[in-house]
């Protein structure tokens, strides 16, 4: 068995009482004090996440722009240094290789932030598409990534940096010192809350983590594990690779049509995606609220009047709503908001209702 | 980890308190701690039969669903509604208010197969 990788904050997590689990080849904190308490801390105050397991792939060179434009489905033609864009990256069949953030670092340099479990797959895929004039580098191992999320995030981080954080727009970033360490500071996140993500050399991980935790203690800042990261993104209905997205699921089917730009130059997967757009997809991703008592879980079948019409991709107790919720694919004729369906929970068809997504939206 | 000495245990982390011909059943401190925040509990009804080593209910945390296994065979004579109404009680008081069902045993000799507190302690420390 391959040895599990550890982030530079492994010892800090143990000292904070984290429960560690395997995730995407990494040994990661799933929770510290408890998933629900951590979830609520992010919604009401702030949480600090070690997300150093995420992959970072740097693409540079004179043809980098055209290369990245061809790799992803979203249009990066208006992307500028200092900004980022969310995009799926498709295979030639229109399925999703991964969903990622594309940061434009400089004129000819991009940083692709990819899912931990997909880093190697993505790297090999990107290298297989390589053209002259681009250099591709996997910088995951030397990069620490932290996410500071929640309504108090800006106030906390501002104490540690001279950069005026209020000037950073959504999906944009600046370079600045945090506790004296040179960081890429971006206004991005995966929780449905306001917040930042920081990228900096892994060798300074403990120092930056401890400085943020210390300065945020009086504002209710807590360390948050992958468990609450999942419930937070779930309530915000943000796709998770391996659940709502896979190599066989297209971004159109996942409700990410807004990230597929057919008017831009050629990109991988364009033809099958265009056909899918014209013909329509068979399934649609819907949000579900349980009517009967029970929790829908990934893989559970969805039925309508005894006929199987879909499957659950994610489901749990949603802490902010206090309800058992699910996300799942349902055949289009049965996928309207308000429709009642049955979810097979341990061989029992339990009643659920299709509801609007997202389940949770932050008040702005 | 708390392992009360007067109780019996299964390798699936249920505890059993024997009172005459009846067995009171719950999950251990170790089990609730491993599961994390418990958000759903499904239990049988009074009158239902349970079969030794067969599932009799389900406990779900935020992350996962786990079956509950009957330590003994018999008939359910009492069900504690509290874990179903307020699942967090299982985290807060697994050996007290978080108890789950009481079974009238059909074969009390099955108790002999259960683990002592010392044996269970050794299991969870292994």
């Amino acid at each position: 068995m391959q040895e599990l990788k550890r982030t530079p904050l492994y010892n800090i997590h143990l000292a904070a009482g984290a429960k560690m689990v395997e995730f995407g080849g990494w040994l990661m904190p799933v929770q510290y004090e408890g998933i629900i308490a951590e979830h609520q801390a992010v919604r009401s105050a702030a949480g600090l996440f070690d997300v150093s397991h995420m992959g970072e792939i740097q693409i540079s060179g004179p043809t980098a722009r055209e290369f990245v434009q061809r790799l992803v489905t979203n249009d990066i033609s208006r992307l500028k240094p200092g900004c980022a864009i969310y995009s799926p990256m498709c295979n030639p069949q229109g399925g999703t290789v991964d969903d990622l953030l594309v940061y434009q670092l400089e004129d000819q340099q991009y940083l692709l932030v990819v899912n931990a479990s997909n880093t190697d797959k993505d790297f090999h895929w990107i290298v297989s598409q390589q053209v002259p004039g681009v250099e591709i580098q996997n910088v995951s191992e030397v990069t620490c990534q932290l996410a500071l999320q929640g309504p108090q995030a800006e106030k906390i981080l501002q104490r540690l940096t001279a950069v005026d954080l209020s000037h950073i727009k959504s999906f944009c970033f600046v370079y600045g010192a945090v506790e004296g360490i040179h960081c890429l500071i971006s206004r991005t996140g995966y929780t449905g809350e306001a917040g930042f993500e920081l990228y900096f050399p892994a060798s300074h991980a403990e120092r930056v983590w401890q400085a943020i935790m210390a300065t945020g203690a009086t504002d209710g800042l807590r360390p948050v594990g992958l468990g609450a990261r999942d419930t937070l993104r779930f309530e915000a209905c943000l796709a998770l690779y391996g659940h709502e997205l896979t190599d066989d699921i297209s971004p159109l089917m996942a409700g990410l049509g807004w990230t597929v730009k057919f008017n831009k130059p050629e990109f991988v997967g364009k033809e099958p995606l265009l056909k899918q757009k014209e013909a329509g997809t068979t399934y649609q991703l819907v949000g579900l609220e349980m009517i009967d008592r029970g929790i829908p879980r990934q893989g559970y079948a969805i039925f309508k009047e005894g006929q199987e019409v879909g499957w659950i991709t994610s489901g749990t107790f949603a802490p902010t709503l206090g309800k058992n919720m699910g996300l799942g694919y349902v055949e289009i004729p049965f996928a309207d908001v308000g429709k009642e369906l049955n979810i097979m929970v341990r061989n029992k068809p339990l009643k659920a209702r299709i509801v609007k997504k997202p389940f949770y939206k932050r008040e702005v | 980890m708390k392992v009360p000495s007067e109780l019996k245990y299964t390798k699936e982390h249920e505890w059993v308190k024997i009172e005459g011909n009846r067995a009171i059943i719950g999950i251990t401190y170790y089990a609730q701690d491993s599961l994390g925040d418990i958000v759903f509990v499904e239990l049988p009804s009074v009158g239902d039969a349970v079969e030794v080593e067969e599932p009799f209910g389900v406990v779900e945390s935020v992350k996962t669903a786990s079956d509950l296994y009957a330590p003994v065979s018999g008939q359910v004579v009492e069900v504690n509604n509290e874990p179903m109404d307020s699942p967090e009680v299982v985290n807060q008081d697994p050996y007290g208010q978080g108890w789950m069902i009481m079974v009238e045993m059909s074969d009390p000799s099955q108790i002999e197969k259960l683990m002592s507190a010392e044996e269970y302690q050794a299991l969870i420390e292994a």
Side-chain angles (χ1 to χ4, degrees):
Chain A
M1 200 180 85
Q2 207 182 344
E3 182 123 352
L4 294 175
K5 288 183 268 193
R6 295 174 177 187
T7 79
L9 292 164
Y10 177 77
N11 290 323
I12 295 260
H13 299 318
L14 291 189
K19 256 184 211 153
M20 306 297 285
V21 296
E22 191 275 336
F23 181 83
W26 294 78
L27 201 50
M28 296 299 293
V30 63
Q31 66 168 68
Y32 302 83
E33 60 183 306
I35 292 175
I36 293 176
E38 292 162 32
H39 180 109
Q40 283 159 348
V42 176
R43 290 271 183 256
S44 63
L48 185 61
F49 304 72
D50 175 14
V51 280
S52 302
H53 62 312
M54 304 270 298
E56 288 89 12
I57 297 170
Q58 202 163 295
I59 295 178
S60 49
T63 58
R65 191 174 189 83
E66 292 72 27
F67 180 67
V68 175
Q69 182 69 298
R70 196 179 173 281
L71 277 181
V72 302
T73 62
N74 210 336
D75 186 2
I76 66 158
S77 64
R78 272 176 299 185
L79 194 60
K80 292 188 297 255
C83 283
I85 193 167
Y86 170 78
S87 181
M89 172 166 75
C90 283
N91 57 37
Q93 292 75 44
T96 311
V97 177
D98 204 358
D99 63 328
L100 43 95
L101 281 179
V102 180
Y103 288 84
Q104 184 164 8
L105 304 180
E106 292 166 26
D107 266 346
Q108 301 185 349
Q109 196 175 62
Y110 297 84
L111 185 71
L112 274 44
V113 179
V114 304
N115 284 296
S117 50
N118 285 342
T119 306
D120 291 343
K121 180 184 85 166
D122 291 357
F123 183 69
H124 289 132
W125 165 248
I126 294 168
V127 166
S128 79
Q129 299 295 302
Q130 190 163 16
V131 294
V134 293
E135 248 185 76
I136 304 160
Q137 213 185 340
N138 186 347
V139 294
S140 305
E141 300 282 323
V142 294
T143 307
C144 178
Q145 186 188 345
L146 301 182
L148 177 61
Q149 303 275 299
Q152 299 293 319
E154 184 170 329
K155 183 175 149 197
I156 293 166
L157 192 60
Q158 191 62 79
R159 292 188 205 123
L160 296 169
T161 182
V163 169
D164 185 351
L165 297 173
S166 69
H167 285 169
I168 308 175
K169 291 187 183 131
S170 180
F171 278 85
C172 287
F173 67 89
V174 298
Y175 290 103
V178 173
E179 181 67 1
I181 303 302
H182 185 69
C183 292
L184 186 160
I185 308 168
S186 78
R187 197 181 279 279
T188 49
Y190 190 52
T191 58
E193 294 302 323
F196 298 89
E197 290 178 306
L198 306 178
Y199 300 82
F200 55 94
S203 52
H204 299 297
E206 291 197 1
R207 177 170 166 182
V208 175
W209 174 278
Q210 279 168 330
I212 297 173
M213 283 311 303
T215 193
T218 51
D219 304 290
L221 175 68
R222 313 274 183 90
V224 181
L226 291 184
R229 187 171 166 84
D230 188 45
T231 53
L232 289 158
R233 75 89 200 167
F234 172 74
E235 284 185 341
C237 291
L238 300 168
L240 175 59
Y241 199 87
H243 294 249
E244 287 74 40
L245 290 171
T246 69
D247 286 305
D248 300 318
I249 294 174
S250 81
L252 300 179
M253 181 165 145
L256 296 171
W258 60 276
T259 64
V260 182
K261 301 288 164 61
F262 291 107
N263 291 330
K264 73 171 205 172
E266 189 57 34
F267 61 92
V268 180
K270 185 176 182 177
E271 280 307 308
L273 286 170
L274 197 56
K275 274 187 199 149
Q276 222 179 77
K277 193 190 175 203
E278 283 159 4
T281 56
T282 314
Y283 291 90
Q284 189 180 323
L285 188 68
V286 302
L288 292 153
E289 178 184 325
M290 294 304 296
I291 298 170
D292 287 334
R293 291 183 77 249
I295 302 179
R297 300 283 184 181
Q298 182 181 21
Y300 286 7
I302 302 173
F303 280 77
K304 179 72 183 178
E305 282 153 14
Q307 179 195 346
E308 190 165 342
V309 295
W311 70 97
I312 296 290
T313 54
S314 296
T316 186
F317 171 77
T320 312
L321 286 75
K323 291 174 178 170
N324 296 330
M325 310 292 291
L327 283 170
Y329 284 104
V330 171
E331 286 178 23
I332 300 266
F334 311 102
D336 298 331
V337 168
K339 284 231 161 88
E340 278 190 21
L341 298 166
N342 292 114
I343 299 171
M344 288 303 262
V345 180
R346 292 179 287 276
N347 298 322
K348 275 178 286 185
L350 301 187
K351 261 192 262 172
R353 183 187 297 114
I354 298 180
V355 294
K356 274 193 194 147
K357 295 180 294 173
F359 307 139
Y360 169 85
K361 198 165 186 192
R362 153 177 82 99
E363 287 171 32
V364 186
Chain B
M1 291 288 173
K2 294 158 198 161
V3 181
S5 58
E6 70 276 18
L7 303 178
K8 297 280 190 187
Y9 299 88
T10 70
K11 62 180 192 303
E12 276 90 17
H13 310 286
E14 289 86 14
W15 58 260
V16 187
K17 186 179 183 188
I18 307 296
E19 284 183 351
N21 203 41
R22 292 179 163 190
I24 300 164
I25 298 160
I27 66 167
T28 65
Y29 181 91
Y30 174 86
Q32 65 76 30
D33 186 61
S34 306
L35 285 164
D37 294 319
I38 291 170
V39 293
F40 183 79
V41 177
E42 189 178 290
L43 298 176
S45 305
V46 170
D48 285 356
V50 297
E51 196 63 39
V52 66
E53 289 172 9
E54 292 292 321
F56 72 83
V58 175
V59 55
E60 298 201 39
S61 66
V62 177
K63 294 295 286 177
T64 187
S66 306
D67 284 330
L68 296 163
Y69 292 92
V72 291
S73 299
Q75 192 184 33
V76 178
V77 289
E78 219 177 300
V79 176
N80 184 11
N81 286 321
E82 222 170 318
M84 293 191 283
D85 296 338
S86 315
E88 65 276 8
V89 75
V90 181
N91 290 119
Q92 291 156 0
D93 193 8
Y95 297 114
Q97 289 182 306
W99 72 274
M100 292 179 177
I101 57 170
M102 189 195 278
V103 170
E104 181 82 27
M105 289 183 280
S106 57
D107 179 5
S109 75
Q110 288 169 341
I111 299 167
E112 289 158 30
K113 285 196 177 169
L114 298 172
M115 300 168 99
S116 68
E118 292 74 30
E119 287 167 326
Y120 182 66
Q121 184 89 44
L123 174 84
I124 60 176
E125 281 170 7

